[in-house]
Amino acid sequence: MPLHVPPAPAPALRSVRTALGSPTAVREARTPSLRSTQTPLTPELPLPVHVLERMPARGGAPRTRLTGWRFLIRGGERVVAAGEAMPTPDGWAFSHFFEGPYLASTERALRQAEALPTPYQPRLLSVPELYMLTLWLHADIAADASSELFAPGDLLVPLAPAPPGIAAHRPHRVSDLLPMLTLRLTPGPALKATA
């Protein structure tokens, strides 16, 4: 089933395109493959990036917060980097370029998602406290990309490298994975000082 990729805000895409056209931005980026590519660079496949907010008290629904839009940067036949735009008080602005294992992992997870029988809206969900990034397959394909709540039927696909004990590229229902993450995010009991 095809994925329903939400359209990125035009200013977010424009900021990444402008940065790609800037020799200074490309030269100063910590992305050797971006600097060494000899083919035209194209931002494609925009994905909204959400951060998992602190887990709520009992009974509350977990929420996310939109923190940017990520574009995979294609150079010829392969993805060589990613570029991200972030919201600012004045609109969308270019944030940074990067490369690393999450690029190939994102591509792999998207291919897996396209083979699923149910249509989804792809997003990225970051869990900074666990150094974890997932492909969030949102079941409400008509939802605004900035919507903060999970929908029944949403899937999370941890990207590699995943935290220990969590299998990368294995789809999990949100209702199954979030409780596991909650346990990892909950601080342990405070140690009492002994005299």
Side-chain angles (χ1 to χ4, degrees):
M1 192 63 71
L3 294 174
H4 293 264
V5 179
L13 175 58
R14 194 168 34 254
S15 73
V16 172
R17 281 189 176 144
T18 300
L20 279 173
S22 164
T24 303
V26 171
R27 187 173 51 251
E28 291 178 2
R30 295 181 180 173
T31 51
S33 59
L34 187 65
R35 290 191 306 265
S36 65
T37 257
Q38 300 298 315
T39 58
L41 299 169
T42 309
E44 51 187 50
L45 196 62
L47 295 170
V49 179
H50 289 254
V51 170
L52 183 64
E53 293 288 306
R54 284 272 179 212
M55 300 304 281
R58 286 196 162 131
R63 300 183 77 85
T64 69
R65 177 175 43 89
L66 180 68
T67 59
W69 279 83
R70 183 170 298 172
F71 299 83
L72 298 181
I73 309 296
R74 188 166 296 280
E77 296 298 314
R78 64 186 191 95
V79 171
V80 296
E84 202 159 300
M86 64 180 189
T88 69
D90 297 324
W92 290 92
F94 172 72
S95 175
H96 62 284
F97 292 118
F98 63 94
E99 59 185 53
Y102 285 131
L103 295 180
S105 189
T106 300
E107 283 188 297
R108 177 180 170 188
L110 288 166
R111 283 192 304 272
Q112 286 177 292
E114 287 175 342
L116 294 172
T118 306
Y120 289 101
Q121 181 190 91
R123 303 171 173 196
L124 293 172
L125 178 68
S126 174
V127 186
E129 295 91 342
L130 298 178
Y131 302 99
M132 181 179 186
L133 186 64
T134 71
L135 178 64
W136 173 10
L137 298 173
H138 193 51
D140 182 358
I141 60 173
D144 184 280
S146 65
S147 64
E148 302 172 338
L149 297 174
F150 295 101
D154 282 7
L155 298 177
L156 295 175
V157 182
L159 301 181
I166 297 176
H169 296 287
R170 182 175 167 257
H172 298 268
R173 291 221 170 271
V174 167
S175 58
D176 296 334
L177 187 60
L178 283 185
M180 185 185 327
L181 299 181
T182 302
L183 288 175
R184 291 178 179 218
L185 294 172
T186 304
L191 297 175
K192 293 182 181 180
T194 57

